[in-house]
Amino acid sequence: MKKSNRVALKVALTYVMVAGAWVLFSDELVKAVIRNPDERMNLSMIKGVGFVLVTGGLLFQVLRYWLGHWEREMEQRKHAEIAQQDSEERYRRLFAVQNDAVILMDYQTNQILEVNPAAEKMYGYSHAEFLRLAATEVAHEEAKGGHATDPEVKHVPLRMHRRKDGTIFPVEISYGDFMYESRKIHVAAMRDITQRKQVELALLKSQQHYHELFAHMNEGFAHCRMIFEAGQPKDFIYLAVNDKFT
């Protein structure tokens, strides 16, 4: 039974019990005290009017209390709903303007629940297509499983993912969790690090080229570090030498 129905039933039962007791006992009391029928009738009329006034006042107080309580609950609920709507609107705006791809998924099934526009752009799927996928379906075949649902892992520096067109690319992932409507939601924020990896690879190749050039020079060369005291060179340390130097 709803709370409002229970309250209404309690008020009605209380009124019936009080009214019944008043009618029965007051009538018997009047009969026992007053013998004159005319006086008894006049007193009964006064008693009836008094009963109506008293019960009406009590009913007014009860209704005012419960209606006031109901209005306060409705006002609090309204404020809570407005606060929730404001919070959700701020979240949607932040979610939409985030530069990293953000995917929300069910913690148990990995089913994708929501993505931001950056995810659609990064992976090439439309919003509707994303919602038909599991999170593991955007991971490269060899990298599926693992960290996707591991609660201990909050950051993965490198993971290979796959776009809709089949392109494999590197991403850096940050994970988080939150509860929404008694449901645990897993959040993954992906950053495309393709350019970073290209720069790292180019730097590595440059270093390898330098070492090969250094090692195969026709003259002896040494890479040294000077040691200074009081601003004056005192000694040096060999850091690297090629074969011709030795």
Side-chain angles (χ1 to χ4, degrees):
M1 185 181 293
K2 293 183 178 179
K3 183 178 179 181
S4 58
N5 293 337
R6 290 199 302 269
V7 172
L9 181 59
K10 287 180 180 179
V11 172
L13 290 176
T14 302
Y15 180 80
V16 169
M17 292 173 61
V18 172
W22 171 259
V23 171
L24 290 175
F25 291 107
S26 63
D27 285 348
E28 292 299 323
L29 181 62
V30 169
K31 290 178 182 180
V33 174
I34 300 176
R35 300 298 181 179
N36 189 312
D38 293 335
E39 293 180 0
R40 188 185 301 166
M41 182 178 294
N42 291 334
L43 185 58
S44 295
M45 291 178 61
I46 295 172
K47 175 175 67 69
V49 173
F51 176 76
V52 170
L53 293 175
V54 171
T55 55
L58 291 174
L59 186 59
F60 170 76
Q61 293 296 332
V62 170
L63 290 175
R64 186 176 69 169
Y65 170 78
W66 284 109
L67 287 175
H69 181 70
W70 177 77
E71 287 179 352
R72 287 191 295 272
E73 283 190 345
M74 293 299 295
E75 191 70 20
Q76 291 174 357
R77 185 179 301 175
K78 182 179 179 180
H79 287 314
E81 290 175 353
I82 292 174
Q84 182 177 355
Q85 291 173 358
D86 290 342
S87 177
E88 290 177 351
E89 181 62 25
R90 287 194 297 269
Y91 154 75
R92 281 193 290 268
R93 290 177 181 176
L94 179 63
F95 188 67
V97 301
Q98 177 64 249
N99 291 325
D100 292 338
V102 181
I103 296 178
L104 275 61
M105 67 199 84
D106 184 274
Y107 188 83
Q108 298 296 329
T109 65
N110 275 342
Q111 180 64 39
I112 293 177
L113 304 176
E114 189 58 84
V115 298
N116 67 345
E120 299 173 26
K121 182 179 179 180
M122 182 182 295
Y123 290 91
Y125 291 101
S126 68
H127 185 267
E129 289 173 329
F130 254 124
L131 300 187
R132 293 194 293 267
L133 300 175
T136 51
E137 294 182 77
V138 299
H140 181 44
E141 187 68 26
E142 298 178 356
K144 284 187 176 181
H147 299 300
T149 57
D150 189 344
E152 301 299 324
V153 176
K154 299 301 180 184
H155 179 257
V156 179
L158 176 63
R159 171 64 64 84
M160 303 306 294
H161 274 200
R162 183 177 59 248
R163 306 185 202 276
K164 181 181 178 180
D165 62 5
T167 304
I168 307 301
F169 67 105
V171 295
E172 179 183 6
I173 311 177
S174 297
Y175 290 107
D177 305 300
F178 67 94
M179 297 298 296
Y180 181 72
E181 295 182 351
S182 302
R183 186 181 189 182
K184 192 170 186 179
I185 306 299
H186 203 52
V187 185
M190 276 72 63
R191 177 169 297 176
D192 188 342
I193 56 174
T194 300
Q195 291 185 347
R196 185 198 304 173
K197 289 300 176 182
Q198 289 174 345
V199 170
E200 291 176 354
L201 181 60
L203 180 60
L204 178 61
K205 288 182 177 180
S206 176
Q207 290 175 340
Q208 290 175 343
H209 178 70
Y210 161 76
H211 286 301
E212 290 177 0
L213 181 63
F214 183 75
H216 295 90
M217 293 183 72
N218 292 326
E219 303 292 335
F221 278 87
H223 181 199
C224 305
R225 185 178 69 194
M226 297 297 298
I227 300 175
F228 292 86
E229 284 189 3
Q232 298 297 322
K234 180 181 180 182
D235 202 348
F236 62 90
I237 299 174
Y238 288 109
L239 298 178
V241 296
N242 65 356
D243 294 338
K244 292 295 183 178
F245 186 85
T246 57

PDB file of all heavy atoms in Angstrom, residues 97-111:
ATOM      1  N   VAL A  97      32.786  17.962 -25.195  1.00  0.00           N
ATOM      2  CA  VAL A  97      33.923  18.776 -25.625  1.00  0.00           C
ATOM      3  C   VAL A  97      35.269  18.138 -25.289  1.00  0.00           C
ATOM      4  O   VAL A  97      36.311  18.696 -25.620  1.00  0.00           O
ATOM      5  CB  VAL A  97      33.862  20.193 -24.989  1.00  0.00           C
ATOM      6  CG1 VAL A  97      32.572  20.892 -25.374  1.00  0.00           C
ATOM      7  CG2 VAL A  97      33.992  20.122 -23.468  1.00  0.00           C
ATOM      8  N   GLN A  98      35.246  16.976 -24.646  1.00  0.00           N
ATOM      9  CA  GLN A  98      36.497  16.297 -24.303  1.00  0.00           C
ATOM     10  C   GLN A  98      37.249  15.921 -25.576  1.00  0.00           C
ATOM     11  O   GLN A  98      36.697  15.322 -26.499  1.00  0.00           O
ATOM     12  CB  GLN A  98      36.166  15.039 -23.485  1.00  0.00           C
ATOM     13  CG  GLN A  98      37.365  14.186 -23.118  1.00  0.00           C
ATOM     14  CD  GLN A  98      38.330  14.922 -22.215  1.00  0.00           C
ATOM     15  OE1 GLN A  98      39.431  15.244 -22.643  1.00  0.00           O
ATOM     16  NE2 GLN A  98      37.938  15.174 -20.986  1.00  0.00           N
ATOM     17  N   ASN A  99      38.536  16.274 -25.641  1.00  0.00           N
ATOM     18  CA  ASN A  99      39.338  15.979 -26.831  1.00  0.00           C
ATOM     19  C   ASN A  99      39.672  14.496 -26.948  1.00  0.00           C
ATOM     20  O   ASN A  99      39.809  13.972 -28.054  1.00  0.00           O
ATOM     21  CB  ASN A  99      40.622  16.803 -26.816  1.00  0.00           C
ATOM     22  CG  ASN A  99      40.366  18.291 -27.020  1.00  0.00           C
ATOM     23  OD1 ASN A  99      39.462  18.660 -27.754  1.00  0.00           O
ATOM     24  ND2 ASN A  99      41.156  19.123 -26.375  1.00  0.00           N
ATOM     25  N   ASP A 100      39.860  13.827 -25.823  1.00  0.00           N
ATOM     26  CA  ASP A 100      40.136  12.398 -25.848  1.00  0.00           C
ATOM     27  C   ASP A 100      38.846  11.635 -26.128  1.00  0.00           C
ATOM     28  O   ASP A 100      37.745  12.086 -25.788  1.00  0.00           O
ATOM     29  CB  ASP A 100      40.710  11.936 -24.506  1.00  0.00           C
ATOM     30  CG  ASP A 100      42.090  12.504 -24.251  1.00  0.00           C
ATOM     31  OD1 ASP A 100      42.762  12.895 -25.225  1.00  0.00           O
ATOM     32  OD2 ASP A 100      42.504  12.566 -23.080  1.00  0.00           O
ATOM     33  N   ALA A 101      38.988  10.471 -26.733  1.00  0.00           N
ATOM     34  CA  ALA A 101      37.824   9.610 -26.958  1.00  0.00           C
ATOM     35  C   ALA A 101      37.416   8.995 -25.621  1.00  0.00           C
ATOM     36  O   ALA A 101      38.241   8.423 -24.918  1.00  0.00           O
ATOM     37  CB  ALA A 101      38.168   8.513 -27.959  1.00  0.00           C
ATOM     38  N   VAL A 102      36.145   9.127 -25.269  1.00  0.00           N
ATOM     39  CA  VAL A 102      35.642   8.589 -24.006  1.00  0.00           C
ATOM     40  C   VAL A 102      34.538   7.585 -24.306  1.00  0.00           C
ATOM     41  O   VAL A 102      33.589   7.880 -25.040  1.00  0.00           O
ATOM     42  CB  VAL A 102      35.099   9.707 -23.089  1.00  0.00           C
ATOM     43  CG1 VAL A 102      34.604   9.109 -21.771  1.00  0.00           C
ATOM     44  CG2 VAL A 102      36.180  10.742 -22.827  1.00  0.00           C
ATOM     45  N   ILE A 103      34.681   6.396 -23.724  1.00  0.00           N
ATOM     46  CA  ILE A 103      33.690   5.329 -23.903  1.00  0.00           C
ATOM     47  C   ILE A 103      33.181   4.896 -22.534  1.00  0.00           C
ATOM     48  O   ILE A 103      33.982   4.609 -21.639  1.00  0.00           O
ATOM     49  CB  ILE A 103      34.294   4.119 -24.644  1.00  0.00           C
ATOM     50  CG1 ILE A 103      34.706   4.529 -26.063  1.00  0.00           C
ATOM     51  CG2 ILE A 103      33.313   2.955 -24.694  1.00  0.00           C
ATOM     52  CD1 ILE A 103      35.350   3.403 -26.864  1.00  0.00           C
ATOM     53  N   LEU A 104      31.857   4.871 -22.377  1.00  0.00           N
ATOM     54  CA  LEU A 104      31.226   4.362 -21.161  1.00  0.00           C
ATOM     55  C   LEU A 104      30.682   2.981 -21.467  1.00  0.00           C
ATOM     56  O   LEU A 104      29.997   2.786 -22.485  1.00  0.00           O
ATOM     57  CB  LEU A 104      30.077   5.272 -20.719  1.00  0.00           C
ATOM     58  CG  LEU A 104      30.431   6.489 -19.844  1.00  0.00           C
ATOM     59  CD1 LEU A 104      31.375   7.424 -20.565  1.00  0.00           C
ATOM     60  CD2 LEU A 104      29.170   7.223 -19.419  1.00  0.00           C
ATOM     61  N   MET A 105      30.994   2.019 -20.597  1.00  0.00           N
ATOM     62  CA  MET A 105      30.563   0.642 -20.846  1.00  0.00           C
ATOM     63  C   MET A 105      30.052   0.002 -19.570  1.00  0.00           C
ATOM     64  O   MET A 105      30.378   0.430 -18.461  1.00  0.00           O
ATOM     65  CB  MET A 105      31.732  -0.170 -21.412  1.00  0.00           C
ATOM     66  CG  MET A 105      32.866  -0.395 -20.430  1.00  0.00           C
ATOM     67  SD  MET A 105      34.429  -0.853 -21.196  1.00  0.00           S
ATOM     68  CE  MET A 105      35.073   0.767 -21.632  1.00  0.00           C
ATOM     69  N   ASP A 106      29.235  -1.028 -19.747  1.00  0.00           N
ATOM     70  CA  ASP A 106      28.761  -1.794 -18.607  1.00  0.00           C
ATOM     71  C   ASP A 106      29.930  -2.556 -18.001  1.00  0.00           C
ATOM     72  O   ASP A 106      30.696  -3.205 -18.718  1.00  0.00           O
ATOM     73  CB  ASP A 106      27.661  -2.768 -19.048  1.00  0.00           C
ATOM     74  CG  ASP A 106      27.056  -3.530 -17.885  1.00  0.00           C
ATOM     75  OD1 ASP A 106      27.629  -4.581 -17.514  1.00  0.00           O
ATOM     76  OD2 ASP A 106      26.043  -3.086 -17.333  1.00  0.00           O
ATOM     77  N   TYR A 107      30.062  -2.478 -16.672  1.00  0.00           N
ATOM     78  CA  TYR A 107      31.215  -3.081 -16.005  1.00  0.00           C
ATOM     79  C   TYR A 107      31.225  -4.596 -16.155  1.00  0.00           C
ATOM     80  O   TYR A 107      32.284  -5.212 -16.254  1.00  0.00           O
ATOM     81  CB  TYR A 107      31.195  -2.707 -14.521  1.00  0.00           C
ATOM     82  CG  TYR A 107      32.440  -3.102 -13.767  1.00  0.00           C
ATOM     83  CD1 TYR A 107      33.576  -2.296 -13.803  1.00  0.00           C
ATOM     84  CD2 TYR A 107      32.497  -4.280 -13.030  1.00  0.00           C
ATOM     85  CE1 TYR A 107      34.720  -2.650 -13.124  1.00  0.00           C
ATOM     86  CE2 TYR A 107      33.638  -4.647 -12.348  1.00  0.00           C
ATOM     87  CZ  TYR A 107      34.751  -3.827 -12.397  1.00  0.00           C
ATOM     88  OH  TYR A 107      35.887  -4.193 -11.726  1.00  0.00           O
ATOM     89  N   GLN A 108      30.039  -5.217 -16.191  1.00  0.00           N
ATOM     90  CA  GLN A 108      29.951  -6.671 -16.243  1.00  0.00           C
ATOM     91  C   GLN A 108      30.094  -7.221 -17.659  1.00  0.00           C
ATOM     92  O   GLN A 108      30.762  -8.232 -17.871  1.00  0.00           O
ATOM     93  CB  GLN A 108      28.611  -7.130 -15.643  1.00  0.00           C
ATOM     94  CG  GLN A 108      28.425  -6.773 -14.176  1.00  0.00           C
ATOM     95  CD  GLN A 108      29.431  -7.466 -13.273  1.00  0.00           C
ATOM     96  OE1 GLN A 108      29.879  -8.579 -13.564  1.00  0.00           O
ATOM     97  NE2 GLN A 108      29.798  -6.818 -12.184  1.00  0.00           N
ATOM     98  N   THR A 109      29.452  -6.557 -18.624  1.00  0.00           N
ATOM     99  CA  THR A 109      29.383  -7.126 -19.973  1.00  0.00           C
ATOM    100  C   THR A 109      30.313  -6.457 -20.976  1.00  0.00           C
ATOM    101  O   THR A 109      30.497  -6.984 -22.083  1.00  0.00           O
ATOM    102  CB  THR A 109      27.947  -7.016 -20.502  1.00  0.00           C
ATOM    103  OG1 THR A 109      27.606  -5.622 -20.651  1.00  0.00           O
ATOM    104  CG2 THR A 109      26.958  -7.672 -19.534  1.00  0.00           C
ATOM    105  N   ASN A 110      30.857  -5.284 -20.638  1.00  0.00           N
ATOM    106  CA  ASN A 110      31.679  -4.496 -21.571  1.00  0.00           C
ATOM    107  C   ASN A 110      30.863  -3.912 -22.723  1.00  0.00           C
ATOM    108  O   ASN A 110      31.445  -3.369 -23.671  1.00  0.00           O
ATOM    109  CB  ASN A 110      32.836  -5.323 -22.145  1.00  0.00           C
ATOM    110  CG  ASN A 110      34.043  -5.327 -21.240  1.00  0.00           C
ATOM    111  OD1 ASN A 110      34.179  -4.481 -20.368  1.00  0.00           O
ATOM    112  ND2 ASN A 110      34.930  -6.280 -21.430  1.00  0.00           N
ATOM    113  N   GLN A 111      29.540  -4.018 -22.661  1.00  0.00           N
ATOM    114  CA  GLN A 111      28.708  -3.413 -23.698  1.00  0.00           C
ATOM    115  C   GLN A 111      28.830  -1.887 -23.647  1.00  0.00           C
ATOM    116  O   GLN A 111      28.726  -1.289 -22.578  1.00  0.00           O
ATOM    117  CB  GLN A 111      27.240  -3.811 -23.507  1.00  0.00           C
ATOM    118  CG  GLN A 111      26.289  -3.230 -24.538  1.00  0.00           C
ATOM    119  CD  GLN A 111      26.563  -3.724 -25.947  1.00  0.00           C
ATOM    120  OE1 GLN A 111      26.878  -4.897 -26.127  1.00  0.00           O
ATOM    121  NE2 GLN A 111      26.469  -2.846 -26.933  1.00  0.00           N
TER     122      GLN A 111
END
